Amino acid sequence: MFADVILPLPLDGTFTYSIPPQWTETVKPGCRVLVPFGRNKQYIGIIAQLHDNKPEGYEVKDILQSIDTQPILLPEQYRLWQWIADYYMSPIGEVYKAALPAGLKAEDGYRPKTETYIRLTTQFRSEQSLHIALNMLKRAQKQLDCFIEFLALSGADVNPENPAEVTREELMNASHATLQTVSLLIKRGMLETYEVEVGRLNHGGEPHPELIKKLSEAQETAYNQILLSMMKKQVTLLHGVTSSGKTEIYIHLIQREIEQHRQVLYLLPEIALTVQMMDRLRRVFGDRLGIYHSKYSDAERVEIWQKQLSGHPYDVILGARSAVFLPFQNLGLIIIDEEHETSFKQQDPMPRYHARSAAIMLGARVLLGTATPSMESYHNAMTGKYGYVQLTQRHAGIELPEIQVVDTKDLQHRKMMSGPFSPLLLARVREALERGEQAILFQNRRGYAPMIECKHCGWVPHCQNCDVSLTFHRQMNQLVCHYCGAVYQVPVECPACGGTELQTRGYGTEKIEADVRDIFPEARISRMDLDTTRTRNAYERLISDFGSGRTNLLIGTQMISKGLDFDKVSVVGILNADTMLNYPDFRAFEHAYMMMSQVSGRAGRKGRRGLVILQTRQPHLPIIQYVVRGDYPALYHSLCAERQHFHYPPFYRLIDVYLKHRNEQLTEVAAQELGFRLRQWFGGRVLGPDKPGISRVKSLSIRKLVLKLEPQLNMAEVRKYLALAQQQMLQDKRYASLQVYYDVDPL
């Protein structure tokens, strides 16, 4: 007997091994086996199929060990793997690497991850001893600030004997302290660290379906229309304005599936969103709910995978895009909330799949929910491929927020701007805070400043590995490349002219936070971006603090635009719409509209009508007026003619072909040659090669070709010709280390 085995390697196809007699009774397709590969390596592979056809022309090696008695990969999941590998032109080994938790791919199983927590040492767990500690730190201001922040975070200032748990990362984020400062407090014997295993399976208690709220008349109508649509179409688009109560409809649909003994997959684009949604769903569905995303420990993800294979799986899985790979035994409904979000598309590494497309291939009924549909989904709905249901009014009769546009170009000309803030924005934020309400400021750029520049000669520091300027992070006092992660010290003087006046240019969220603290010293401010949310607990703490009113002014990047629900937010400020509008991409206006509309939707969700201050240097652009009116159909129709004329989605399909090599000249030559070969088959459908906006990342030069293909073309034939062209070209020894990869349906 022989087994075709998938290995977790960037290689196409499967590898055939013979099965020793002692394993013939236990091995099955979908089971893991330990196999030799190459000279001295061993890998955990998954059996794709069993057969008795001995391969010719080489010696077949034996599998070394059978690991599972039951499959960990079900036939439905394997079919999805095959489709992703084929459609997105990715080796199935890469799909395997992306799909399975690390613990299922490792020979030694999985070891639970731990996270470092901080607590008071025993001798400082009383009010008297805390006073002594504070006196000891009077001459060490940074340590004192850090210690006071710890007391506030843990509640030890009120109850030193029974404080809340605080991670070291949270303490450093909240206090802006360095690791050295925290270490000094540990050395003094005031604080100590301890390790906690991160992640547990959800023990959410008993389900409480009685907590499901009654639907409003508008929601009830939409719910019934969805059920009707699902009888006719596999995919239905629910187009509901922000705060229209889409989630309540989802909960009713989930309960209906559970009552019919079917499972539900609920996909969200961001881990931040799962925090709020988890609390909401857990109250209703209790321990029937499982959570699955990358911030959870590997141990927990392995346990969830195994639970889904057991006789008592979760009825509902809430997760980010990787949850689409979980083994479902009876999947009835997939809800893809905020379906327009680009984070549903995997960018790097391979496979560059879109979770929305992958979910549809699972065969269950799919509901796409959003206030701002992607052009592709809306087009599919308008042409009858998808069902379409609208929800046009906000829940409980609350009006959509008023959007006031501020012309920052005019204000700058009249010298009326305070940095990135208009007088109107500052006035409205101040009024909101004085009324006990909350405000959100949106700036889609993290760090302190996008660049620093020499005042005399204009020199700007760039990354040595990538063609990008370095972002200044003041808290770390470092320059960081946001592409390869390289970190550099801030120069004392300009290496070009020797000048010592180096100034920051532009505003990142860190600088916005610093300026806002100066303007509103009484405000309780938090910041949500990649730098402050690196740990799982950090998300929960930030959202919990803002939701409970412990903080009242939230500054953030696009993370804050995605479906978060806060009752007391009355003012939202979009600080600079132009960074989104001036992006060199055919989707720039579509993405800008989505982001501005979604951020605006955070205002006035309960009680009074919200206000959005939209700051831009181009107030007369039609897209700004579409955002003000909330007129998505107008945006869609304005973009359709342009997209059709220039052969872009949703009327044409795109495949980006990337070539990478350390030698720039060789990359250019290879790109020209591949372009020539592709034109022989595809003619004028091939654009390029060209340098992308950032043409060197991690010391690799990049060239890009674009294929614009009519939707009626046979994609299997297209993929065959692409693979053939690449194969023919890579026979040239010069290109031995050239990387060629594809991004199908790029975003």
Side-chain angles (χ1 to χ4, degrees):
M1 190 188 271
F2 299 93
D4 292 339
V5 177
I6 306 165
L7 297 180
L9 298 168
L11 300 169
D12 285 310
T14 55
F15 298 84
T16 304
Y17 292 86
S18 58
I19 301 169
Q22 68 265 35
W23 306 120
T24 52
E25 295 300 316
T26 57
V27 295
K28 298 170 188 168
C31 287
R32 290 174 300 163
V33 286
L34 180 66
V35 296
F37 189 80
R39 287 184 180 175
N40 301 307
K41 293 194 174 174
Q42 297 177 354
Y43 291 100
I44 298 279
I46 292 187
I47 296 176
Q49 63 175 339
L50 299 170
H51 56 87
D52 55 8
N53 304 318
K54 184 178 180 182
E56 299 295 328
Y58 64 90
E59 184 189 346
V60 182
K61 295 179 181 178
D62 286 351
I63 66 167
L64 302 174
Q65 186 185 345
S66 172
I67 295 172
D68 304 307
T69 54
Q70 293 298 321
I72 64 151
L73 181 69
L74 300 179
E76 294 82 3
Q77 274 65 48
Y78 179 48
R79 280 196 290 274
L80 179 67
W81 286 21
Q82 288 175 304
W83 178 81
I84 288 174
D86 183 44
Y87 185 83
Y88 292 103
M89 305 185 68
S90 170
I92 198 161
E94 293 283 12
V95 183
Y96 169 15
K97 284 164 70 176
L100 254 63
L104 293 177
K105 294 176 291 201
E107 206 176 320
D108 54 353
Y110 65 91
R111 292 195 192 98
K113 284 187 183 175
T114 60
E115 196 166 344
T116 305
Y117 278 68
I118 300 274
R119 64 187 170 202
L120 285 171
T121 51
T122 314
Q123 63 265 41
F124 286 99
R125 289 185 193 171
S126 67
E127 282 189 40
Q128 188 180 355
S129 59
L130 283 182
H131 285 302
I132 294 168
L134 292 168
N135 282 327
M136 287 168 65
L137 295 172
K138 274 185 177 175
R139 295 191 176 187
Q141 191 61 46
K142 287 182 181 177
Q143 292 174 52
L144 179 62
D145 292 344
C146 180
F147 192 68
I148 289 170
E149 186 63 44
F150 169 78
L151 296 178
L153 283 173
S154 64
D157 48 354
V158 178
N159 184 4
E161 292 175 13
N162 190 24
E165 290 193 322
V166 177
T167 68
R168 183 172 64 190
E169 188 91 17
E170 285 175 85
L171 175 59
M172 289 167 65
N173 277 334
S175 64
H176 306 300
T178 62
L179 184 59
Q180 184 186 11
T181 304
V182 177
S183 300
L184 287 169
L185 288 169
I186 293 166
K187 200 173 177 182
R188 282 174 175 258
M190 296 172 184
L191 300 178
E192 62 184 5
T193 61
Y194 63 104
E195 298 297 312
V196 172
E197 185 183 323
V198 181
R200 291 284 184 275
L201 287 187
N202 172 20
H203 301 294
E206 288 295 310
H208 290 282
E210 70 276 6
L211 295 177
I212 299 176
K213 297 173 187 170
K214 192 175 186 305
L215 295 177
S216 69
E217 193 178 327
Q219 288 171 324
E220 186 76 41
T221 302
Y223 173 77
N224 289 325
Q225 287 175 343
I226 290 166
L227 293 180
L228 195 62
S229 171
M230 285 179 171
M231 291 168 69
K232 303 172 186 172
K233 303 273 170 73
Q234 187 206 345
V235 185
T236 299
L237 174 63
L238 172 59
H239 185 185
V241 296
T242 54
S243 199
S244 56
K246 293 187 288 294
T247 306
E248 213 52 56
I249 295 174
Y250 300 155
I251 289 171
H252 279 254
L253 289 166
I254 292 169
Q255 182 61 24
R256 184 176 183 272
E257 292 297 311
I258 289 174
E259 287 168 1
Q260 295 181 8
H261 308 291
R262 292 193 292 258
Q263 294 173 297
V264 178
L265 171 59
Y266 189 145
L267 290 179
L268 286 164
E270 286 283 348
I271 293 164
L273 291 183
T274 60
V275 174
Q276 272 201 329
M277 195 57 69
M278 176 179 68
D279 292 340
R280 198 161 169 184
L281 296 182
R282 190 174 274 171
R283 284 196 292 273
V284 176
F285 300 111
D287 57 12
R288 288 183 146 172
L289 173 73
I291 317 293
Y292 191 85
H293 58 63
S294 59
K295 275 285 195 289
Y296 273 48
S297 74
D298 187 61
E300 185 171 37
R301 280 182 284 154
V302 171
E303 286 163 22
I304 289 177
W305 191 285
Q306 290 169 337
K307 184 171 171 64
Q308 290 310 95
L309 290 167
S310 73
H312 305 283
Y314 287 120
D315 293 315
V316 187
I317 289 286
L318 175 68
R321 65 172 178 257
S322 59
V324 80
F325 291 114
L326 278 169
F328 291 94
Q329 299 184 55
N330 187 20
L331 187 60
L333 174 66
I334 301 171
I335 296 167
I336 304 180
D337 200 11
E338 312 293 346
E339 69 84 24
H340 62 277
E341 277 292 342
T342 55
S343 12
F344 279 125
K345 178 83 155 71
Q346 163 96 350
Q347 300 297 341
D348 277 311
M350 286 194 285
R352 294 173 177 82
Y353 70 99
H354 199 301
R356 182 181 62 213
S357 303
I360 291 168
M361 295 311 295
L362 283 169
R365 293 281 177 254
V366 178
L367 179 64
L368 308 176
T370 177
T372 53
S374 63
M375 284 279 287
E376 287 85 344
S377 294
Y378 193 75
H379 181 72
N380 285 336
M382 292 300 100
T383 54
K385 185 178 178 182
Y386 294 172
Y388 182 67
V389 177
Q390 260 190 302
L391 196 53
T392 55
Q393 62 191 66
R394 279 187 148 192
H395 188 56
I398 297 161
E399 288 184 88
L400 284 163
E402 177 191 357
I403 301 178
Q404 293 186 11
V405 181
V406 174
D407 184 348
T408 52
K409 186 177 180 182
D410 176 57
L411 289 174
Q412 279 168 341
H413 182 68
R414 293 192 279 154
K415 295 188 169 49
M416 292 176 69
M417 292 287 288
S418 302
F421 311 109
S422 64
L424 178 66
L425 176 61
L426 294 178
R428 295 295 174 265
V429 169
R430 182 169 282 111
E431 289 165 12
L433 298 180
E434 286 170 355
R435 288 194 302 264
E437 294 165 352
Q438 293 174 307
I440 290 177
L441 298 179
F442 171 71
Q443 175 75 350
N444 201 25
R445 202 183 274 269
R446 66 185 174 102
Y448 187 81
M451 65 174 73
I452 61 172
E453 180 183 72
C454 174
K455 194 174 180 180
H456 299 292
C457 72
W459 171 82
V460 172
H462 279 70
C463 179
Q464 293 170 11
N465 310 315
C466 313
D467 277 343
V468 289
S469 58
L470 297 168
T471 301
F472 176 51
H473 288 249
R474 191 171 75 167
Q475 186 181 335
M476 302 185 294
N477 193 33
Q478 289 173 328
L479 297 170
V480 179
C481 174
H482 284 180
Y483 280 80
C484 71
V487 174
Y488 301 82
Q489 293 305 310
V490 180
V492 179
E493 60 179 40
C494 171
C497 71
T500 54
E501 292 187 75
L502 298 172
Q503 57 192 7
T504 59
R505 286 280 185 203
Y507 291 85
T509 46
E510 197 184 344
K511 190 171 197 302
I512 299 294
E513 181 187 14
D515 289 359
V516 166
R517 286 188 187 280
D518 291 340
I519 297 167
F520 302 111
E522 73 290 351
R524 303 181 301 280
I525 298 164
S526 58
R527 170 164 57 95
M528 187 184 280
D529 57 27
L530 193 61
D531 299 317
T532 62
T533 56
R534 292 191 185 277
T535 65
R536 166 181 161 189
N537 281 47
Y539 274 115
E540 295 178 12
R541 181 65 65 98
L542 282 166
I543 290 166
S544 166
D545 284 354
F546 197 65
S548 65
R550 181 171 172 171
T551 54
N552 58 4
L553 208 164
L554 179 64
I555 297 156
T557 56
Q558 59 183 337
M559 282 182 186
I560 62 173
S561 72
K562 301 177 183 180
L564 294 172
D565 190 355
F566 301 112
D567 294 354
K568 293 183 178 177
V569 175
S570 61
V571 177
V572 167
I574 299 171
L575 298 184
N576 186 358
D578 305 304
T579 55
M580 296 177 274
L581 297 170
N582 298 336
Y583 199 72
D585 186 280
F586 76 93
R587 295 187 198 270
F589 277 16
E590 179 188 357
H591 288 165
Y593 177 91
M594 289 170 177
M595 216 174 289
M596 287 189 276
S597 297
Q598 291 287 342
V599 173
S600 301
R602 301 314 109 210
R605 296 176 74 87
K606 299 271 163 49
R608 57 184 291 164
R609 187 185 188 193
L611 173 68
V612 178
I613 309 294
L614 194 163
Q615 298 186 165
T616 174
R617 296 171 65 86
Q618 308 167 82
H620 305 300
L621 279 179
I623 185 174
I624 299 293
Q625 303 313 312
Y626 300 152
V627 173
V628 171
R629 299 199 306 266
D631 194 348
Y632 181 86
L635 171 83
Y636 172 77
H637 291 300
S638 72
L639 294 178
C640 268
E642 181 184 296
R643 297 272 185 98
Q644 201 158 12
H645 180 72
F646 291 106
H647 296 189
Y648 282 114
F651 305 99
Y652 283 74
R653 307 182 74 161
L654 299 185
I655 298 179
D656 287 349
V657 186
Y658 287 93
L659 299 92
K660 289 184 177 181
H661 196 276
R662 289 190 175 276
N663 183 317
E664 183 172 13
Q665 191 176 354
L666 188 139
T667 312
E668 177 64 33
V669 170
Q672 294 290 350
E673 185 178 332
L674 185 57
F676 173 76
R677 288 179 183 275
L678 293 178
R679 279 191 185 88
Q680 289 180 320
W681 285 309
F682 299 109
R685 299 179 183 89
V686 181
L687 274 70
D690 204 354
K691 281 187 177 185
I694 293 158
S695 60
R696 191 170 62 97
V697 173
K698 296 181 181 176
S699 301
L700 294 173
S701 292
I702 307 169
R703 293 296 182 274
K704 177 181 168 185
L705 293 144
V706 178
L707 270 72
K708 294 182 173 180
L709 306 167
E710 301 90 330
Q712 61 269 26
L713 284 181
N714 183 326
M715 290 304 289
E717 289 289 301
V718 168
R719 290 190 285 273
K720 186 180 86 176
Y721 285 130
L722 280 168
L724 188 59
Q726 178 184 343
Q727 191 181 354
Q728 288 172 350
M729 199 183 81
L730 293 183
Q731 287 171 356
D732 189 328
K733 289 180 182 175
R734 289 179 302 162
Y735 304 139
S737 56
L738 180 75
Q739 295 178 31
V740 180
Y741 64 86
Y742 307 92
D743 190 357
V744 180
D745 302 336
L747 290 181

